[in-house]
Amino acid sequence: MPYYLRHYFNPDFDHQRAKPGGGLGQDEGADVYSLGYAQNVIAGQILAEIMPADKAPGDADKRWFQAGDTLPAGANTFIDPKYPQYLVAGSKGYVFYNDGKITVKKLLNVRQDVSFRTGNIFFVGDICVHGSVRSGFSVQGDNVRIMGMVEGGIARARRDLMVEGGCRGGSSKHCLLDAGGKLLTPFVEKAEARAHQNMAIEKYCLYSTVYAGANMVVRGQMYGSTVNCLGSVYVGAQLGNRAGIPTRIYLGYDPYLIRQLEKIDSIAKELDEAITHLRAVAGHLPPDANETTRKLARLSRQHEKVLKHKSDIWNRVNVDDSTLENCKVMAPGRVYPGVEIGIGRAFMQVERQYENSMFRLCYDEIVVEPMPARKKTA
């Protein structure tokens, strides 16, 4: 009896020849940044179905008619015992044909740069990029390892993120590293870096904005940056610089709530400017007089909602005294004037050069002490 193998993914997809629209043809207005580099599947998802040939759809591809009812089950797939006509994904990953078998692979290896050849990459599992993430492109996965650089691009990891070549942004594109867990990279320059857990930067952090949900370590230099960190910050060689370029470190508050407040302030500012302009145009006309006054009324209501949302977030911004006890800025190297340090509600402007110093909170004030001596190991 003849059978037909129906696929619930594109069996002919080739990531090396990906086109806008997932290889289904390139429209004039197609997004060249979205090529569908990998065919994502999740555990339990149906991949293929075997059915009698007489039940095949009218547009069935002749290549997938076969003599028997065998399903080509490969790695990380299984045949559902209750519904033996279905082949199901055994794990999340990407699906493809490997040696004639439908296979799901958990780790996505991108053996080139993330660029126009790949488009933006979104993957449900772990990713290893053997090249760099180029300007304007993004990559997102669970654990993400980038063996090259992030150059004006975006790298997001739902868990840990490692960028072996460093991160450098530019004036034209937003450059972002965003880790749901830990973040590790040699340097960050002119970029935004976020980590819900610890962040470690081996060399330097320059002219960047940082949000760290635990502790942050910079073994080399840090200046021209703004750091929001829940725990402590360690800067090994140099904090600030001789030119006094502003460098700000704020400890003790949830950095992600602070980031939300910054975004709300930006929105509120734009609304304020628009409302001021419309009021000048509308004058003393009633709200329903014309389109200008109606728009003014809409923006005013939106502005009130934004301010209420800001107030709600501020009510969630709490300072835990036990957390503040562990908030320190540790700098065994030099600290230059121009550095601002905030721990909870206390604030300090560094006005002279320090060396081998630790900044901590003592009776609601920030004090400067020598770095504690390292314990000698036996």
Side-chain angles (χ1 to χ4, degrees):
M1 179 178 179
Y3 288 86
Y4 174 70
L5 181 63
R6 181 178 183 180
H7 295 87
Y8 290 88
F9 66 97
N10 181 0
D12 299 320
F13 178 79
D14 183 355
H15 69 277
Q16 295 182 339
R17 294 185 175 89
K19 296 180 181 180
L24 300 179
Q26 184 170 354
D27 298 328
E28 186 176 341
D31 182 3
V32 296
Y33 288 87
S34 300
L35 306 184
Y37 185 80
Q39 296 192 88
N40 288 290
V41 295
I42 59 174
Q45 182 173 332
I46 296 173
L47 304 177
E49 176 187 2
I50 194 73
M51 61 179 64
D54 58 358
K55 293 185 179 180
D59 59 349
D61 191 329
K62 294 181 180 180
R63 294 176 301 162
W64 303 112
F65 286 94
Q66 59 187 49
D69 60 354
T70 303
L71 284 163
N76 297 313
T77 69
F78 67 94
I79 298 172
D80 191 332
K82 292 184 179 179
Y83 305 96
Q85 72 271 30
Y86 291 118
L87 181 66
V88 180
S91 67
K92 64 181 178 181
Y94 68 94
V95 59
F96 68 111
Y97 263 95
N98 183 30
D99 293 332
K101 302 290 186 181
I102 298 175
T103 303
V104 173
K105 194 168 183 180
K106 300 177 184 179
L107 173 66
L108 176 62
N109 279 291
V110 182
R111 302 187 185 278
Q112 57 184 309
D113 292 345
V114 177
S115 64
F116 283 108
R117 291 189 63 187
T118 65
N120 298 326
I121 296 177
F122 174 89
F123 186 52
V124 295
D126 297 342
I127 303 176
C128 180
V129 178
H130 294 249
S132 297
V133 180
R134 298 301 181 185
S135 179
F137 291 89
S138 65
V139 60
Q140 181 174 347
D142 281 350
N143 295 292
V144 178
R145 177 187 178 190
I146 299 169
M147 300 174 72
M149 294 180 60
V150 175
E151 300 178 292
I154 296 175
R156 299 179 185 271
R158 290 178 285 274
R159 296 175 184 169
D160 296 340
L161 173 60
M162 177 187 294
V163 184
E164 297 181 6
C167 175
R168 180 176 291 115
S171 58
S172 59
K173 294 289 185 180
H174 180 56
C175 189
L176 171 66
L177 303 182
D178 187 3
K182 299 183 287 293
L183 171 61
L184 175 63
T185 186
F187 66 85
V188 176
E189 183 176 353
K190 296 181 179 179
E192 181 179 344
R194 309 174 199 158
H196 281 265
Q197 298 178 14
N198 293 327
M199 182 182 301
I201 301 174
E202 285 295 321
K203 296 179 181 178
Y204 55 83
C205 178
L206 309 180
Y207 308 106
S208 297
T209 303
V210 175
Y211 302 91
N215 302 308
M216 178 184 180
V217 172
V218 181
R219 301 196 185 279
Q221 304 171 317
M222 184 168 75
Y223 57 81
S225 298
T226 298
V227 174
N228 293 278
C229 181
L230 186 60
S232 294
V233 172
Y234 174 97
V235 182
Q238 176 184 323
L239 177 57
N241 68 351
R242 295 181 184 274
I245 295 175
T247 303
R248 303 176 180 90
I249 300 176
Y250 304 114
L251 307 179
Y253 292 101
D254 184 335
Y256 287 89
L257 290 179
I258 298 300
R259 181 172 172 271
Q260 287 184 47
L261 289 170
E262 291 171 349
K263 291 173 65 177
I264 290 173
D265 283 340
S266 177
I267 294 170
K269 182 179 178 181
E270 292 179 1
L271 288 172
D272 280 335
E273 293 174 353
I275 289 171
T276 300
H277 172 73
L278 290 172
R279 279 176 177 166
V281 174
H284 298 288
L285 293 174
D288 292 330
N290 53 40
E291 181 57 33
T292 298
T293 57
R294 287 191 289 271
K295 184 176 181 182
L296 175 59
R298 289 196 303 270
L299 291 184
S300 297
R301 290 193 296 270
Q302 187 177 350
H303 188 256
E304 291 177 2
K305 291 180 181 179
V306 167
L307 293 181
K308 183 182 183 304
H309 186 40
K310 178 180 178 179
S311 177
D312 292 341
I313 293 178
W314 263 119
N315 292 334
R316 293 163 53 197
V317 178
N318 298 317
V319 179
D320 188 343
D321 291 337
S322 61
T323 299
L324 293 181
E325 292 177 2
N326 297 319
C327 291
K328 302 178 181 68
V329 175
M330 296 168 282
R334 293 183 178 180
V335 181
Y336 288 97
V339 173
E340 300 175 10
I341 298 174
I343 303 178
R345 297 179 180 86
F347 177 81
M348 177 181 183
Q349 177 83 43
V350 176
E351 296 180 348
R352 69 176 183 86
Q353 184 174 311
Y354 290 92
E355 290 189 22
N356 195 40
S357 302
M358 179 174 69
F359 302 78
R360 69 177 184 88
L361 196 64
C362 181
Y363 297 109
D364 298 325
E365 292 187 1
I366 297 175
V367 298
V368 186
E369 300 174 345
M371 281 281 292
R374 292 183 179 180
K375 295 182 180 180
K376 294 182 178 180
T377 56

Coordinates of all heavy atoms in Angstrom, one line a residue, residues 296-353:
L296 N -4.5 66.8 21.6 CA -4.0 67.3 22.9 C -4.6 66.6 24.1 O -3.9 66.2 25.0 CB -4.3 68.8 23.0 CG -3.9 69.5 24.3 CD1 -2.4 69.3 24.6 CD2 -4.3 71.0 24.3
A297 N -5.9 66.3 24.0 CA -6.6 65.6 25.1 C -6.1 64.2 25.2 O -5.9 63.7 26.3 CB -8.1 65.6 24.8
R298 N -5.9 63.5 24.0 CA -5.3 62.1 24.1 C -4.0 62.1 24.7 O -3.7 61.2 25.5 CB -5.3 61.6 22.6 CG -6.7 61.2 22.0 CD -6.5 60.3 20.8 NE -5.6 60.9 19.8 CZ -6.0 61.6 18.8 NH1 -7.3 62.0 18.7 NH2 -5.2 62.1 17.9
L299 N -3.1 63.0 24.3 CA -1.7 63.0 24.8 C -1.7 63.4 26.3 O -0.9 62.8 27.1 CB -0.8 64.0 24.0 CG -0.5 63.6 22.6 CD1 0.4 64.6 21.9 CD2 0.1 62.2 22.5
S300 N -2.6 64.2 26.7 CA -2.7 64.6 28.1 C -3.1 63.4 29.0 O -2.5 63.1 30.1 CB -3.6 65.7 28.3 OG -3.2 66.9 27.7
R301 N -4.0 62.6 28.5 CA -4.4 61.4 29.2 C -3.3 60.4 29.3 O -3.1 59.7 30.3 CB -5.7 60.8 28.6 CG -7.0 61.6 28.7 CD -8.2 60.8 28.4 NE -8.2 60.4 26.9 CZ -8.7 61.2 26.0 NH1 -9.3 62.3 26.3 NH2 -8.7 60.8 24.7
Q302 N -2.6 60.2 28.1 CA -1.4 59.3 28.1 C -0.4 59.8 29.0 O 0.3 58.9 29.7 CB -0.9 59.3 26.6 CG 0.2 58.2 26.4 CD 0.6 58.2 25.0 OE1 0.1 58.8 24.1 NE2 1.7 57.5 24.8
H303 N -0.1 61.1 29.1 CA 0.9 61.6 30.0 C 0.5 61.3 31.5 O 1.4 60.9 32.3 CB 1.0 63.1 29.8 CG 2.1 63.8 30.6 ND1 2.0 64.5 31.7 CD2 3.5 63.8 30.3 CE1 3.1 64.9 32.2 NE2 4.1 64.5 31.3
E304 N -0.7 61.4 31.8 CA -1.2 61.1 33.2 C -0.9 59.6 33.5 O -0.5 59.2 34.6 CB -2.6 61.4 33.4 CG -3.0 62.9 33.4 CD -4.4 63.1 33.5 OE1 -5.2 62.1 33.6 OE2 -4.8 64.3 33.4
K305 N -1.2 58.7 32.5 CA -0.9 57.3 32.7 C 0.6 57.0 32.9 O 1.0 56.2 33.7 CB -1.5 56.5 31.6 CG -3.0 56.5 31.5 CD -3.5 55.7 30.3 CE -5.0 55.6 30.2 NZ -5.4 54.9 29.0
V306 N 1.4 57.7 32.1 CA 2.9 57.5 32.2 C 3.4 57.9 33.6 O 4.2 57.2 34.2 CB 3.6 58.3 31.1 CG1 5.1 58.3 31.4 CG2 3.3 57.6 29.8
L307 N 2.9 59.0 34.1 CA 3.3 59.5 35.4 C 2.8 58.6 36.5 O 3.6 58.3 37.5 CB 2.8 60.9 35.7 CG 3.4 62.0 34.8 CD1 2.8 63.4 35.1 CD2 4.9 62.0 34.9
K308 N 1.6 58.0 36.4 CA 1.1 57.0 37.4 C 2.0 55.8 37.3 O 2.3 55.2 38.4 CB -0.3 56.7 37.1 CG -0.9 55.8 38.1 CD -2.4 55.4 37.8 CE -3.0 54.5 38.9 NZ -2.2 53.3 39.1
H309 N 2.3 55.3 36.1 CA 3.2 54.1 36.0 C 4.6 54.4 36.7 O 5.1 53.5 37.3 CB 3.4 53.8 34.5 CG 4.1 52.5 34.3 ND1 3.9 51.4 35.1 CD2 5.1 52.2 33.4 CE1 4.7 50.4 34.6 NE2 5.4 50.9 33.6
K310 N 5.1 55.6 36.5 CA 6.4 56.0 37.1 C 6.2 55.9 38.6 O 7.1 55.4 39.3 CB 6.8 57.3 36.6 CG 8.1 57.8 37.3 CD 8.5 59.2 36.7 CE 9.8 59.7 37.4 NZ 10.2 61.0 36.9
S311 N 5.1 56.4 39.1 CA 4.9 56.4 40.6 C 4.8 55.0 41.1 O 5.4 54.7 42.2 CB 3.7 57.2 40.9 OG 3.4 57.1 42.3
D312 N 4.2 54.1 40.4 CA 4.0 52.7 40.8 C 5.4 52.0 40.8 O 5.7 51.3 41.8 CB 3.1 52.0 39.8 CG 1.7 52.4 39.9 OD1 1.3 53.0 40.9 OD2 0.9 52.2 38.9
I313 N 6.3 52.3 39.9 CA 7.6 51.7 39.9 C 8.4 52.3 41.0 O 9.2 51.5 41.7 CB 8.3 52.0 38.5 CG1 7.6 51.2 37.4 CG2 9.8 51.5 38.6 CD1 8.1 51.4 36.0
W314 N 8.3 53.6 41.3 CA 9.1 54.1 42.4 C 8.7 53.5 43.7 O 9.6 53.3 44.6 CB 8.8 55.6 42.5 CG 9.9 56.5 41.8 CD1 9.8 57.3 40.8 CD2 11.3 56.5 42.2 NE1 11.0 57.9 40.5 CE2 12.0 57.4 41.3 CE3 12.1 55.8 43.2 CZ2 13.3 57.6 41.4 CZ3 13.4 56.1 43.2 CH2 14.0 57.0 42.3
N315 N 7.4 53.1 43.8 CA 7.0 52.4 45.1 C 7.6 51.0 45.2 O 7.7 50.5 46.3 CB 5.5 52.3 45.1 CG 4.8 53.7 45.2 OD1 5.4 54.6 45.8 ND2 3.6 53.8 44.7
R316 N 8.1 50.5 44.1 CA 8.7 49.2 44.1 C 10.2 49.3 44.3 O 10.9 48.3 44.5 CB 8.4 48.4 42.8 CG 7.0 48.0 42.6 CD 6.7 47.7 41.2 NE 7.6 46.7 40.7 CZ 7.7 46.4 39.4 NH1 7.0 47.1 38.5 NH2 8.6 45.5 39.0
V317 N 10.8 50.5 44.2 CA 12.2 50.7 44.4 C 12.5 50.8 45.9 O 12.4 51.9 46.4 CB 12.7 51.9 43.6 CG1 14.2 52.1 43.8 CG2 12.4 51.8 42.1
N318 N 12.9 49.7 46.5 CA 13.2 49.7 47.9 C 14.7 49.5 48.1 O 15.3 48.8 47.3 CB 12.4 48.6 48.6 CG 10.9 48.8 48.5 OD1 10.4 49.9 48.7 ND2 10.2 47.7 48.2
V319 N 15.2 50.0 49.2 CA 16.6 49.8 49.6 C 16.6 48.9 50.8 O 16.1 49.3 51.8 CB 17.3 51.2 49.8 CG1 18.7 50.9 50.2 CG2 17.2 52.1 48.6
D320 N 17.2 47.8 50.7 CA 17.4 46.8 51.8 C 18.7 47.1 52.5 O 19.8 47.1 51.9 CB 17.4 45.4 51.2 CG 17.3 44.4 52.3 OD1 17.6 44.7 53.5 OD2 17.0 43.2 52.0
D321 N 18.6 47.5 53.8 CA 19.9 47.8 54.5 C 20.9 46.7 54.5 O 22.1 46.9 54.5 CB 19.5 48.2 56.0 CG 18.8 49.5 56.0 OD1 18.9 50.3 55.1 OD2 18.0 49.8 57.0
S322 N 20.4 45.4 54.6 CA 21.3 44.3 54.6 C 22.0 44.2 53.2 O 23.2 43.8 53.1 CB 20.5 43.0 54.9 OG 19.6 42.8 53.9
T323 N 21.3 44.6 52.1 CA 22.0 44.6 50.8 C 23.0 45.7 50.7 O 24.1 45.5 50.2 CB 20.9 44.8 49.7 OG1 20.0 43.8 49.8 CG2 21.6 44.9 48.3
L324 N 22.7 46.9 51.3 CA 23.7 48.0 51.2 C 25.0 47.7 52.0 O 26.0 48.2 51.6 CB 23.0 49.2 51.8 CG 21.8 49.8 51.0 CD1 21.3 51.1 51.7 CD2 22.2 50.1 49.6
E325 N 24.9 46.8 53.0 CA 26.2 46.5 53.7 C 27.2 45.8 52.8 O 28.4 45.9 53.0 CB 25.8 45.6 54.9 CG 25.0 46.2 56.0 CD 24.7 45.3 57.1 OE1 25.1 44.1 57.0 OE2 24.0 45.7 58.1
N326 N 26.7 45.1 51.7 CA 27.6 44.4 50.8 C 27.9 45.2 49.6 O 28.5 44.7 48.7 CB 26.9 43.1 50.4 CG 26.7 42.2 51.6 OD1 27.6 42.1 52.5 ND2 25.6 41.5 51.7
C327 N 27.4 46.5 49.5 CA 27.6 47.3 48.3 C 28.9 48.1 48.5 O 29.0 48.9 49.4 CB 26.4 48.3 48.1 SG 24.9 47.5 47.6
K328 N 29.9 47.8 47.7 CA 31.2 48.4 47.8 C 31.7 48.7 46.4 O 31.4 48.0 45.4 CB 32.2 47.6 48.5 CG 31.8 47.2 49.9 CD 32.8 46.3 50.6 CE 32.4 45.9 52.0 NZ 31.2 45.0 52.0
V329 N 32.5 49.8 46.3 CA 33.3 50.0 45.1 C 34.8 49.7 45.5 O 35.3 50.4 46.3 CB 33.2 51.4 44.5 CG1 34.1 51.6 43.3 CG2 31.8 51.7 44.1
M330 N 35.4 48.7 44.9 CA 36.7 48.3 45.3 C 37.7 48.6 44.1 O 37.4 48.2 43.0 CB 36.8 46.8 45.6 CG 35.9 46.4 46.8 SD 35.7 44.7 47.1 CE 34.3 44.4 45.9
A331 N 38.7 49.4 44.4 CA 39.6 49.8 43.3 C 41.1 49.7 43.8 O 41.6 50.7 44.4 CB 39.3 51.3 43.0
P332 N 41.7 48.6 43.6 CA 43.1 48.4 44.0 C 44.0 49.3 43.2 O 45.2 49.6 43.6 CB 43.4 47.0 43.7 CG 42.4 46.5 42.8 CD 41.1 47.3 43.0
G333 N 43.6 49.8 42.0 CA 44.4 50.7 41.2 C 44.1 52.2 41.6 O 43.9 52.5 42.7
R334 N 44.1 53.0 40.6 CA 43.9 54.5 40.8 C 42.4 54.8 40.5 O 41.8 54.3 39.6 CB 44.8 55.3 39.9 CG 46.2 55.2 40.2 CD 47.1 56.1 39.3 NE 48.5 56.0 39.7 CZ 49.5 56.7 39.1 NH1 49.2 57.5 38.1 NH2 50.7 56.5 39.5
V335 N 42.0 55.8 41.4 CA 40.6 56.4 41.2 C 40.8 57.9 41.0 O 41.5 58.6 41.8 CB 39.7 56.1 42.4 CG1 38.4 56.8 42.2 CG2 39.6 54.7 42.7
Y336 N 40.3 58.4 39.9 CA 40.6 59.8 39.5 C 39.4 60.7 39.9 O 38.2 60.2 39.9 CB 40.9 59.9 38.0 CG 42.2 59.4 37.6 CD1 42.3 58.1 37.1 CD2 43.3 60.2 37.7 CE1 43.6 57.6 36.7 CE2 44.6 59.7 37.4 CZ 44.7 58.4 36.9 OH 45.9 57.9 36.5
P337 N 39.6 62.0 40.1 CA 38.5 62.9 40.3 C 37.6 62.9 39.1 O 38.0 62.7 37.9 CB 39.2 64.3 40.4 CG 40.6 64.0 40.9 CD 40.9 62.7 40.2
G338 N 36.3 63.1 39.3 CA 35.3 63.1 38.2 C 34.4 61.8 38.4 O 33.4 61.7 37.7
V339 N 34.8 60.9 39.3 CA 34.0 59.7 39.5 C 32.9 60.0 40.5 O 33.1 60.7 41.6 CB 34.9 58.6 40.0 CG1 34.0 57.4 40.4 CG2 35.9 58.2 39.0
E340 N 31.7 59.6 40.2 CA 30.5 59.8 41.1 C 30.1 58.4 41.6 O 30.0 57.5 40.8 CB 29.4 60.5 40.4 CG 29.7 61.8 39.9 CD 28.5 62.4 39.1 OE1 27.4 61.8 39.2 OE2 28.7 63.4 38.5
I341 N 29.9 58.3 42.9 CA 29.5 57.0 43.5 C 28.3 57.2 44.4 O 28.2 58.1 45.2 CB 30.7 56.4 44.4 CG1 31.9 56.2 43.5 CG2 30.2 55.2 45.1 CD1 33.1 55.7 44.3
G342 N 27.3 56.4 44.1 CA 26.1 56.4 44.9 C 25.8 55.1 45.5 O 25.9 54.1 44.8
I343 N 25.6 55.0 46.8 CA 25.2 53.7 47.5 C 23.9 54.0 48.2 O 23.9 54.7 49.2 CB 26.3 53.3 48.4 CG1 27.7 53.1 47.7 CG2 25.9 51.9 49.1 CD1 28.8 52.7 48.6
G344 N 22.9 53.4 47.8 CA 21.6 53.7 48.3 C 21.3 55.2 48.1 O 21.4 55.7 47.0
R345 N 20.9 55.9 49.2 CA 20.6 57.3 49.1 C 21.9 58.2 49.3 O 21.8 59.4 49.3 CB 19.5 57.7 50.1 CG 18.2 57.0 49.8 CD 17.1 57.4 50.8 NE 15.9 56.7 50.5 CZ 15.5 55.5 50.9 NH1 16.4 54.8 51.6 NH2 14.4 55.0 50.6
A346 N 23.0 57.6 49.7 CA 24.2 58.4 49.9 C 24.9 58.6 48.6 O 24.9 57.8 47.7 CB 25.1 57.6 50.9
F347 N 25.6 59.7 48.5 CA 26.3 60.1 47.3 C 27.7 60.7 47.6 O 27.8 61.4 48.6 CB 25.4 61.2 46.5 CG 26.1 61.7 45.3 CD1 26.0 61.0 44.1 CD2 26.7 62.9 45.3 CE1 26.6 61.4 42.9 CE2 27.3 63.4 44.1 CZ 27.3 62.7 43.0
M348 N 28.6 60.5 46.7 CA 30.0 61.0 46.9 C 30.5 61.4 45.5 O 30.5 60.6 44.6 CB 30.9 60.0 47.5 CG 32.3 60.5 47.7 SD 33.4 59.2 48.5 CE 34.9 60.1 48.6
Q349 N 31.1 62.6 45.4 CA 31.9 63.0 44.3 C 33.3 63.0 44.6 O 33.8 63.6 45.5 CB 31.5 64.5 43.9 CG 32.3 65.1 42.8 CD 31.6 64.7 41.4 OE1 30.4 64.7 41.3 NE2 32.5 64.4 40.5
V350 N 34.1 62.1 43.9 CA 35.5 62.0 44.1 C 36.2 63.3 43.7 O 36.1 63.7 42.5 CB 36.1 60.8 43.4 CG1 37.6 60.7 43.6 CG2 35.4 59.5 43.9
E351 N 36.9 63.9 44.6 CA 37.6 65.2 44.3 C 39.1 65.1 44.3 O 39.8 66.1 44.0 CB 37.1 66.2 45.4 CG 35.6 66.5 45.3 CD 35.1 67.5 46.3 OE1 35.9 67.8 47.2 OE2 34.0 68.0 46.2
R352 N 39.7 64.0 44.7 CA 41.1 63.8 44.6 C 41.4 62.4 44.2 O 40.6 61.5 44.2 CB 41.8 64.2 46.0 CG 41.5 63.2 47.1 CD 42.2 63.5 48.3 NE 42.0 62.6 49.4 CZ 42.8 61.5 49.6 NH1 43.7 61.1 48.7 NH2 42.5 60.6 50.6
Q353 N 42.7 62.2 43.9 CA 43.1 60.9 43.4 C 43.3 59.9 44.6 O 43.8 60.3 45.7 CB 44.4 61.0 42.6 CG 44.8 59.7 42.0 CD 46.1 59.8 41.2 OE1 46.1 60.7 40.3 NE2 47.1 59.0 41.4

